[in-house]
Amino acid sequence: MAKSGRHLFLLFAAVSFVGGINGEYLGKFIGQLSELHHGVSGEVYAVDGRTIHIKDYTYDGQGPAAYFYASTYKTADSKGFRLRDENNNGDVIRRYRKEGVTLTLPEGKTLNNIKIFYVWCEEFDVNFGDVKIPRNFDYPRPQKIDALKGVHQISSDNIVIVDAQTLLIPNLHYDGEAPDAKFWAGRGPKPSPQGIRIADENGKELPLRRYDGKTVVLTLPGDLTVFDIGHFGIWCEQFTVDFGHIQIPQSVNVPPSLKMLGVSPQKRLQLPVPDNARELPPSQIGGHLQATTFRPPHVNFQRRHERVIEPQYTHLQQSYVPIQPQYQQYVQQTASPFLQQFIGQYQPSNGRAVAYQPFNLQQRQFAEQADYNRQQEELQFNQQQFAAQFPKPRNRFDLQPAPNQHQIQNFVHYG
């Protein structure tokens, strides 16, 4: 009965201890994304030297060719390079609604040599939102702490805090003679019965076996992190004896675990090993996915939108004449307020840059259709003006011919 009551006490202590964890840790805060276009927003964190995480990332998905970008220059422009999305895809990014997004920099790039992260529209060369990386930014990385040393021949090399929930114990030694030794962690600088067990490298909470120089990787249980504990060591649970422990620094700049970011470990693509593998450099053997820096050729915005939507009407481009002033005035007077914002937007600009306006794809399609309809109305308007100059025959004996379609087209062409 006493033993059962003691186990209940330990269970209660463990539950209350794990439940006392405060807040969420996503890495070191870099800054807020500037909210420039298409509702882009979010908090950007450094996970490690090559990984960033965006908390509550939001984007309306209406940009025609938007990608995650980073640059070694200080400004957001086309000189930067693409980042693949959270699923390792290089496609145009989708719509996001306050989502957590974890991105990896391409091979050879780290937060030491990039100066800005941004969302970039390649079609319009427009920055939708950015955050600058501070100079000499100290991003999270694994940290070495003290080595274990104690009774029962316990020793190790310096323990490494790999991330907020992972400990690596290199060259661990323990004679395995104690009846109930466990990996142990808790609050405060020294072990006590109020600590909690840490499962071994196999995920078991059984008494520890003998270790002869093995490297052991341990994962803290539940949502417990290194920020919630003050010590780690080996503890005899049956006799409440400390076999050896180390103190955990109160503030360590280490990466969050993948579990804390809500992502699963990415599997590397395993490629077949070629026969001449020994002659190839390691970078060409096995499966590291190279991040793309490909950008499609720049598309001139003005020329693209001078095209007519339907292919069967492409011949109208040859017969199209400039809009006459009286017709332009007619359109402006009769168009609805919604249509008026697009009037003249796609007219030739004589080489001048067209200012970017972040309307969505549906509005753009409507504007293109309105532009085509306006051309059709203008042709009809000119034809009616020309036809009015030729009086129609009043009877079958009238010898004055009516204009044919060929004459009308020539008039439209040459005025």
Side-chain angles (χ1 to χ4, degrees):
M1 179 66 70
K3 186 174 181 180
S4 174
R6 184 168 172 273
H7 282 301
L8 287 175
F9 170 77
L10 287 174
L11 178 62
F12 174 78
V15 171
S16 61
F17 181 73
V18 175
I21 299 171
N22 296 322
E24 62 176 345
Y25 178 67
L26 301 174
K28 188 170 182 178
F29 182 66
I30 297 176
Q32 294 271 0
L33 278 171
S34 58
E35 302 178 15
L36 300 180
H37 299 293
H38 289 290
V40 168
S41 64
E43 299 177 1
V44 182
Y45 293 82
V47 175
D48 56 31
R50 287 189 56 202
T51 311
I52 62 175
H53 180 82
I54 313 174
K55 177 185 177 183
D56 293 336
Y57 178 59
T58 300
Y59 163 60
D60 66 11
Q62 296 296 332
Y67 298 89
F68 295 116
Y69 255 66
S71 178
T72 56
Y73 299 94
K74 294 182 179 180
T75 57
D77 54 28
S78 59
K79 295 179 182 178
F81 51 88
R82 283 189 197 174
L83 276 64
R84 291 179 176 269
D85 65 16
E86 70 278 13
N87 297 316
N88 201 32
N89 294 324
D91 302 330
V92 173
I93 59 176
R94 59 177 177 84
R95 180 181 184 181
Y96 294 85
R97 291 183 176 180
K98 288 189 173 296
E99 300 180 35
V101 179
T102 303
L103 308 173
T104 302
L105 298 177
E107 187 77 25
K109 303 292 185 182
T110 71
L111 291 175
N112 278 335
N113 50 37
I114 72 168
K115 295 181 174 61
I116 189 170
F117 167 78
Y118 50 106
V119 180
W120 181 253
C121 179
E122 291 185 349
E123 181 169 338
F124 293 100
D125 283 349
V126 173
N127 175 18
F128 288 171
D130 65 74
V131 62
K132 291 179 171 58
I133 312 299
R135 188 176 181 180
N136 299 323
F137 183 74
D138 185 21
Y139 56 79
R141 64 195 77 196
Q143 303 287 337
K144 278 188 178 182
I145 54 177
D146 294 335
L148 274 176
K149 187 175 182 180
V151 299
H152 285 286
Q153 302 179 15
I154 288 177
S155 67
S156 74
D157 293 343
N158 289 83
I159 293 177
V160 179
I161 303 177
V162 179
D163 60 45
Q165 290 191 297
T166 308
L167 300 176
L168 184 145
I169 312 172
N171 195 27
L172 176 62
H173 290 267
Y174 163 59
D175 63 13
E177 297 295 331
D180 197 20
K182 308 284 177 58
F183 292 118
W184 201 257
R187 289 195 175 99
K190 295 181 179 180
S192 71
Q194 283 70 45
I196 61 171
R197 305 180 191 123
I198 306 297
D200 64 18
E201 69 275 18
N202 299 314
K204 306 294 185 181
E205 293 185 357
L206 301 175
L208 297 180
R209 57 181 177 80
R210 180 185 180 94
Y211 288 96
D212 290 312
K214 182 177 181 179
T215 295
V216 177
V217 179
L218 305 178
T219 301
L220 300 181
D223 295 327
L224 187 67
T225 71
V226 294
F227 307 111
D228 304 309
I229 60 177
H231 64 269
F232 166 79
I234 296 178
W235 172 266
C236 181
E237 190 171 0
Q238 182 175 351
F239 293 96
T240 63
V241 176
D242 174 23
F243 287 173
H245 73 276
I246 60 169
Q247 293 185 6
I248 304 295
Q250 291 186 352
S251 58
V252 285
N253 187 20
V254 295
S257 67
L258 293 178
K259 177 183 176 182
M260 297 167 71
L261 298 176
V263 299
S264 58
Q266 297 291 328
K267 294 183 179 179
R268 289 190 173 185
L269 178 63
Q270 296 300 322
L271 303 178
V273 179
D275 295 335
N276 61 340
R278 294 183 180 180
E279 303 174 4
L280 296 176
S283 60
Q284 297 183 21
I285 304 175
H288 181 76
L289 293 175
Q290 297 290 340
T292 178
T293 56
F294 169 77
R295 291 189 294 273
H298 179 72
V299 179
N300 184 282
F301 173 74
Q302 186 62 44
R303 291 183 180 178
R304 172 177 177 173
H305 290 85
E306 286 176 358
R307 294 197 297 266
V308 183
I309 297 176
E310 291 82 356
Q312 62 267 32
Y313 295 115
T314 54
H315 66 279
L316 293 176
Q317 289 181 305
Q318 304 298 325
S319 60
Y320 178 72
V321 295
I323 296 178
Q324 298 180 5
Q326 62 267 33
Y327 181 75
Q328 180 75 19
Q329 184 178 6
Y330 164 77
V331 172
Q332 292 177 350
Q333 291 175 351
T334 58
S336 66
F338 179 75
L339 179 59
Q340 286 181 5
Q341 64 179 313
F342 301 108
I343 292 176
Q345 185 167 351
Y346 300 117
Q347 298 304 315
S349 59
N350 298 324
R352 293 176 298 164
V354 178
Y356 175 75
Q357 297 183 5
F359 54 90
N360 60 35
L361 298 178
Q362 184 178 6
Q363 289 176 321
R364 182 193 304 172
Q365 185 178 10
F366 178 87
E368 289 178 339
Q369 185 65 53
D371 184 53
Y372 167 73
N373 292 342
R374 189 167 62 253
Q375 294 180 20
Q376 290 292 91
E377 291 175 4
E378 181 199 354
L379 285 175
Q380 184 178 5
F381 179 81
N382 289 334
Q383 290 173 358
Q384 291 175 353
Q385 278 193 332
F386 176 75
Q389 300 177 12
F390 294 87
K392 294 183 179 180
R394 296 183 179 181
N395 53 58
R396 61 190 180 90
F397 300 104
D398 194 336
L399 299 179
Q400 185 177 7
N404 56 38
Q405 189 67 21
H406 180 70
Q407 289 175 312
I408 295 177
Q409 291 293 339
N410 287 339
F411 176 81
V412 172
H413 269 294
Y414 306 108

